[in-house]
Structures are given as structure tokens and as C-alpha cells.
Amino acid sequence: MNAAIIPILLVDHFKASNSFIGALAVVTSATMIVAYAVWGRVIDRGSSIRLTLVNTVLTLLVPIGYIAAPDVWALLPVAMIAGIVNAGGELTFFTNIVQLAPRERIGEYAAAQSLLMGVRGTVAPFVASALLGIIDARAVLLTGVLFMTFGAWIMAGAVRIAGEARVSLPAAPAQTPAD
């Protein structure tokens, strides 16, 4: 929903020029370049699922930044946060599947995730448009924040369950030196 509302806010509320919108895109993309390397190292050292939770919480800052920004220049840090979370989301899209799915069902899990993302991406702009006819654009963003917060709460449960599954795995048998 937020992706459909942000351009409207940029043009109608912030009166952002085309060059400023281009600068926001450059800041987001440059941040993504760095974030790919950082998030990649984090994934290599830990849990992709835990990273998704951190990324989801950070994502909440983007619409909140658009709601709270006093002027267009306050959106530059929001563009940096967007770059960080976009990179994290792209990296964890499939790494989460690999981490959660049984090896023989990775393809099925990937198809299900892509289908759900497609349904969400198809329905959300229409919901945002319908809400935009009833409430202010910033209130639509706030509605998105509520959905995102609920999603983060669900993700926290998934992180907890995945952590418990790791702890409950049987330990490898101890090796004894041969005499």
C-alpha cells in the first residue's frame, strides 16, 4: 500500500521536483550497494530469518519518515533507510526459503512465496487507492504501518520458532580419539 502512496505524497504533499525525486533514487541505490555487502555478511554469520525481522522493523521507519517529515529534505535519511531495507529484502527473499523449507520442497516453498507476494502486490495498490478516496494519504501510510507492525509480530514468532528448532536439533556424536 505504501508504495502506491509515496509518489502521491512526493508530488502533492512535498511538491518535490523531478530532480529531487531523482536524487532520492540515487541515495536509495547508493545505499543499497553498501547494504548488499553488509547484509550479505550478516546472513553469512547468522540467521536469514532474524535478518528479515530486523529488516521488517527497519522498514517501518520508511512510512513513518514520510508521515513525520517536515519538508522534502528530511526524506534523504528515509531514502537511505529504504536502500538498506530494499537490499535486505532482496537478499532474504530466497535465503529464508532455503533456511525454512525441507530441501526436497524448496521449489514448492519458493512458488508459494512468489504467489503470495504477487497477490499482495496486486491487491495492495487497489486497497490504497480505495482508502485514499476516504482518508488522507498520510493516514493510508499509517494504515500500512499497522499492517507492517502486525507482520513484524508474526515474523518475531517465526524467528522464535526457527530458533527453538535449531536448539532442539540433536547434537552430533562426540568423536573419541582412536587408541
Side-chain angles (χ1 to χ4, degrees):
M1 288 178 26
N2 294 342
I5 299 299
I6 286 173
I8 293 169
L9 278 174
L10 283 169
V11 173
D12 293 345
H13 177 70
F14 291 107
K15 310 286 188 231
S17 68
N18 289 341
S19 353
F20 185 82
I21 292 171
L24 277 180
V26 167
V27 168
T28 300
S29 296
T31 305
M32 285 176 72
I33 292 169
V34 175
Y36 279 122
V38 173
W39 281 139
R41 291 184 66 101
V42 171
I43 289 172
D44 288 345
R45 292 184 175 150
S47 168
S48 172
I49 299 167
R50 187 172 310 282
L51 170 61
T52 301
L53 177 58
V54 170
N55 207 50
T56 302
V57 172
L58 284 175
T59 302
L60 288 167
L61 297 175
V62 174
I64 291 170
Y66 274 90
I67 292 168
D71 62 27
V72 73
W73 293 102
L75 297 176
L76 289 175
V78 177
M80 292 175 73
I81 294 168
I84 292 167
V85 299
N86 288 344
E90 285 186 19
L91 287 175
T92 60
F93 184 75
F94 288 111
T95 56
N96 285 343
I97 294 169
V98 171
Q99 189 172 347
L100 290 172
R103 188 172 280 305
E104 66 277 359
R105 298 195 59 203
I106 289 175
E108 294 168 30
Y109 275 59
Q113 181 181 13
S114 292
L115 173 71
L116 290 174
M117 295 284 284
V119 168
R120 182 198 73 176
T122 302
V123 172
F126 293 106
V127 172
S129 295
L131 288 174
L132 195 56
I134 301 169
I135 58 178
D136 180 66
R138 286 174 288 181
V140 175
L141 281 182
L142 187 58
T143 304
V145 168
L146 295 175
F147 282 119
M148 293 165 65
T149 303
F150 182 67
W153 177 70
I154 291 171
M155 194 67 210
V159 169
R160 183 183 44 77
I161 290 168
E164 289 171 0
R166 268 195 193 159
V167 170
S168 66
L169 289 175
Q175 296 286 338
T176 56
D179 291 336

